Amino acid sequence: MTDTSERKITIEQHKRFSESALWRLQREYFDKEGPNAWVNQVPFYITSNPFIAHCYAVIVFTFMNDWVKKHPDAKNNTFYIMELGTGPGRFSYYFVKSLEELRAAHGVTDIKYCYVMSDFTKHNIKYWEEHTALKPYIEKGLIDYALFDMETERPITLIRQNLRLTPEILVNPLTVFANYIFDTVSHDAFTVHEGKTYELLFSLSTDEKNMENNRPVDMEQIVVDYNVHEAKPNYYGDPLLDPIIENYKKQLTSTSFLFPVGSFNALKLLRKLSNNKLLVISTDKGYSTVEQLDHLGHPSISFHGSFSMMVNFHAIGEYFKNCGGDAVLQTPRKGIRTSVFASGFHLKDLPETWHEIEERVERFSPSDYFTLHGRMRDSYQQVTDIDIIAAHMEFSRWDPHIYLKVSGHLISLLPQADGETLEFMSKNMPRLAENYYFMPKTECILFEIGVFFHAIKNFADALHYYQQALKYVGEQFGLYYNMALCQHHLEKNEDALATFKHALTLDPESKETAEWITFMEKTIAGTIEEKDIK
Ligand SMILES: C[S@@+](CC[C@H](N)C(=O)[O-])C[C@H]1O[C@@H](n2cnc3c(N)ncnc32)[C@H](O)[C@@H]1O
């Protein structure tokens, strides 16, 4: 490492992108942070909400049915659905929940499946293993998990069943979900100019103050510089990859593009394990056409705890076509987009699956959902009609993440709410509660549901949800105080007294609680006077 007069430290010089230290730093970041990566650092809502999970569930449910119709013996074997770089597991929970609901609604019981959550870091696996929302599915054998590092070719073993995924086990096609992960594993980068292809070489530097133990502390302070070097022909020596680069040389005028080589290595392994029968669904920010790939500057890397880039979905689509499969790339959207890839079979041969892909990916998609949701997220405080918030909750499939944002405002609107909307909301509160997926350092939705019922004077339901919240919120004054109020309104005064007393231990300064205790004691003893009535 070289110390320059500007006190800049050179971290590396002229490195092929896939060999850059950035990837190591990114891995170290995810490994160190584990589930904490999602506490206000790495954005995740966009790919971890009930809407996107339901879209995927409908496609996969239809795919398994379609496949069994064509191959009746497929019922004898399990369909494995593997999520790469799973992260917090919230998507996994909503997916399996939706899939189970679809199976129940359609009476499908004879198609076996197992959802495999995977990540390269053990810290995430430990989090899933202990997660109360996942537990029922894990215990039923519907969810298993595996350590899988997309950058290394190692056997994949399902930890619960101690079962190695092999071509003999993966008789049915393997479904793979890759949300917000193709941009996280290593890429190469190329430049095309005047009919020639160059590899892009990366140099990284940072301020000396940003270095500790020979490594940068804050990735956001890394400066990236680029050099070019003419790329050798048949760069990868791989007949599935080299034609893609070769075609870009002919099709692109002047641009730089990324090539997701780490993801290609992982896909190669998964194709081998699944007898080249893969269905892949991926959502990320990315480019889907040659036109979008042209006239771009050097790759822009956005740092946010970790870093992310635009995925070259077009190249991934070409790869799948080269594997004898096909690719459905969502037409341009400004934000994220969803792509579906198949290897070893053609999606159009599965007509109902094809129809659902059209409906859920090309028409109203996770991307469109997120764009519309963004409008509400940014302006809900201006909404004065509670039925609009209620409709947005339905649109989101009763997503706690959204309710937690709007709950304060919504409670303030309750006094003017109409009866129908209140009934609609009350009826759907159990759905909101079922969608609770605990994440570190976030508010508890069960408590907020309690507040909703409390505000509309449905004390029985309020108490029910407050009690449910106990195991998440713990010894918190406000929770006990609210529970005691509900108990009193339900004429459970002995319980209310005990709960107020407990609340007072949590906040001995609370005068109101002390007054309530006196009032409860008098009520129970039958010595209450007119002046004591609250
Ligand atoms: C940006 S997060 C995406 C998480 C989740 N899929 C989502 O949509 O929010 C990337 C995830 O990939 C994991 N990851 C990073 N490098 C990986 C690798 N080489 N193999 C497998 N997982 C990896 C990280 O631990 C993290 O959970």
PDB file of all heavy atoms in Angstrom, residues 324-335:
ATOM      1  N   GLY A 324     -30.171 -23.689 -23.797  1.00  0.00           N
ATOM      2  CA  GLY A 324     -31.344 -24.415 -24.293  1.00  0.00           C
ATOM      3  C   GLY A 324     -32.605 -24.051 -23.534  1.00  0.00           C
ATOM      4  O   GLY A 324     -33.557 -24.836 -23.470  1.00  0.00           O
ATOM      5  N   GLY A 325     -32.613 -22.895 -22.960  1.00  0.00           N
ATOM      6  CA  GLY A 325     -33.818 -22.465 -22.234  1.00  0.00           C
ATOM      7  C   GLY A 325     -34.299 -21.135 -22.781  1.00  0.00           C
ATOM      8  O   GLY A 325     -34.076 -20.823 -23.941  1.00  0.00           O
ATOM      9  N   ASP A 326     -34.933 -20.351 -21.934  1.00  0.00           N
ATOM     10  CA  ASP A 326     -35.305 -19.024 -22.397  1.00  0.00           C
ATOM     11  C   ASP A 326     -35.383 -18.021 -21.254  1.00  0.00           C
ATOM     12  O   ASP A 326     -35.146 -18.363 -20.088  1.00  0.00           O
ATOM     13  CB  ASP A 326     -36.571 -19.017 -23.256  1.00  0.00           C
ATOM     14  CG  ASP A 326     -37.705 -19.833 -22.705  1.00  0.00           C
ATOM     15  OD1 ASP A 326     -37.767 -20.010 -21.469  1.00  0.00           O
ATOM     16  OD2 ASP A 326     -38.517 -20.305 -23.505  1.00  0.00           O
ATOM     17  N   ALA A 327     -35.722 -16.785 -21.643  1.00  0.00           N
ATOM     18  CA  ALA A 327     -35.686 -15.693 -20.671  1.00  0.00           C
ATOM     19  C   ALA A 327     -36.853 -14.755 -20.913  1.00  0.00           C
ATOM     20  O   ALA A 327     -37.143 -14.411 -22.053  1.00  0.00           O
ATOM     21  CB  ALA A 327     -34.378 -14.919 -20.844  1.00  0.00           C
ATOM     22  N   VAL A 328     -37.529 -14.376 -19.843  1.00  0.00           N
ATOM     23  CA  VAL A 328     -38.556 -13.330 -19.933  1.00  0.00           C
ATOM     24  C   VAL A 328     -38.013 -12.139 -19.152  1.00  0.00           C
ATOM     25  O   VAL A 328     -37.858 -12.208 -17.929  1.00  0.00           O
ATOM     26  CB  VAL A 328     -39.884 -13.782 -19.295  1.00  0.00           C
ATOM     27  CG1 VAL A 328     -40.928 -12.672 -19.391  1.00  0.00           C
ATOM     28  CG2 VAL A 328     -40.395 -15.050 -19.937  1.00  0.00           C
ATOM     29  N   LEU A 329     -37.693 -11.080 -19.866  1.00  0.00           N
ATOM     30  CA  LEU A 329     -37.137  -9.904 -19.205  1.00  0.00           C
ATOM     31  C   LEU A 329     -38.198  -8.823 -19.198  1.00  0.00           C
ATOM     32  O   LEU A 329     -38.703  -8.429 -20.258  1.00  0.00           O
ATOM     33  CB  LEU A 329     -35.887  -9.412 -19.956  1.00  0.00           C
ATOM     34  CG  LEU A 329     -34.800 -10.456 -20.174  1.00  0.00           C
ATOM     35  CD1 LEU A 329     -33.648  -9.875 -20.979  1.00  0.00           C
ATOM     36  CD2 LEU A 329     -34.275 -10.962 -18.844  1.00  0.00           C
ATOM     37  N   GLN A 330     -38.550  -8.373 -18.042  1.00  0.00           N
ATOM     38  CA  GLN A 330     -39.600  -7.362 -17.927  1.00  0.00           C
ATOM     39  C   GLN A 330     -39.210  -6.130 -18.752  1.00  0.00           C
ATOM     40  O   GLN A 330     -38.065  -5.685 -18.718  1.00  0.00           O
ATOM     41  CB  GLN A 330     -39.770  -6.971 -16.456  1.00  0.00           C
ATOM     42  CG  GLN A 330     -40.913  -6.030 -16.226  1.00  0.00           C
ATOM     43  CD  GLN A 330     -41.102  -5.706 -14.738  1.00  0.00           C
ATOM     44  OE1 GLN A 330     -40.252  -6.009 -13.911  1.00  0.00           O
ATOM     45  NE2 GLN A 330     -42.212  -5.099 -14.428  1.00  0.00           N
ATOM     46  N   THR A 331     -40.184  -5.591 -19.467  1.00  0.00           N
ATOM     47  CA  THR A 331     -39.895  -4.390 -20.259  1.00  0.00           C
ATOM     48  C   THR A 331     -39.561  -3.245 -19.307  1.00  0.00           C
ATOM     49  O   THR A 331     -39.924  -3.280 -18.137  1.00  0.00           O
ATOM     50  CB  THR A 331     -41.097  -4.008 -21.145  1.00  0.00           C
ATOM     51  OG1 THR A 331     -42.249  -3.936 -20.317  1.00  0.00           O
ATOM     52  CG2 THR A 331     -41.295  -5.006 -22.264  1.00  0.00           C
ATOM     53  N   PRO A 332     -38.899  -2.231 -19.817  1.00  0.00           N
ATOM     54  CA  PRO A 332     -38.317  -1.225 -18.920  1.00  0.00           C
ATOM     55  C   PRO A 332     -39.272  -0.656 -17.875  1.00  0.00           C
ATOM     56  O   PRO A 332     -40.411  -0.320 -18.150  1.00  0.00           O
ATOM     57  CB  PRO A 332     -37.878  -0.126 -19.879  1.00  0.00           C
ATOM     58  CG  PRO A 332     -37.625  -0.839 -21.147  1.00  0.00           C
ATOM     59  CD  PRO A 332     -38.595  -1.977 -21.195  1.00  0.00           C
ATOM     60  N   ARG A 333     -38.770  -0.587 -16.673  1.00  0.00           N
ATOM     61  CA  ARG A 333     -39.396   0.138 -15.573  1.00  0.00           C
ATOM     62  C   ARG A 333     -38.263   0.981 -14.985  1.00  0.00           C
ATOM     63  O   ARG A 333     -37.098   0.599 -15.051  1.00  0.00           O
ATOM     64  CB  ARG A 333     -39.911  -0.806 -14.480  1.00  0.00           C
ATOM     65  CG  ARG A 333     -40.982  -1.784 -14.924  1.00  0.00           C
ATOM     66  CD  ARG A 333     -42.269  -1.092 -15.323  1.00  0.00           C
ATOM     67  NE  ARG A 333     -43.421  -1.979 -15.260  1.00  0.00           N
ATOM     68  CZ  ARG A 333     -43.797  -2.805 -16.227  1.00  0.00           C
ATOM     69  NH1 ARG A 333     -43.098  -2.887 -17.341  1.00  0.00           N
ATOM     70  NH2 ARG A 333     -44.880  -3.550 -16.085  1.00  0.00           N
ATOM     71  N   LYS A 334     -38.639   2.061 -14.358  1.00  0.00           N
ATOM     72  CA  LYS A 334     -37.611   2.955 -13.831  1.00  0.00           C
ATOM     73  C   LYS A 334     -36.867   2.326 -12.647  1.00  0.00           C
ATOM     74  O   LYS A 334     -35.665   2.514 -12.472  1.00  0.00           O
ATOM     75  CB  LYS A 334     -38.289   4.257 -13.385  1.00  0.00           C
ATOM     76  CG  LYS A 334     -37.324   5.382 -13.145  1.00  0.00           C
ATOM     77  CD  LYS A 334     -38.077   6.677 -12.934  1.00  0.00           C
ATOM     78  CE  LYS A 334     -37.287   7.607 -12.035  1.00  0.00           C
ATOM     79  NZ  LYS A 334     -38.142   8.451 -11.244  1.00  0.00           N
ATOM     80  N   GLY A 335     -37.572   1.567 -11.841  1.00  0.00           N
ATOM     81  CA  GLY A 335     -36.930   1.019 -10.643  1.00  0.00           C
ATOM     82  C   GLY A 335     -36.441  -0.389 -10.864  1.00  0.00           C
ATOM     83  O   GLY A 335     -35.747  -0.668 -11.845  1.00  0.00           O
TER      84      GLY A 335
END
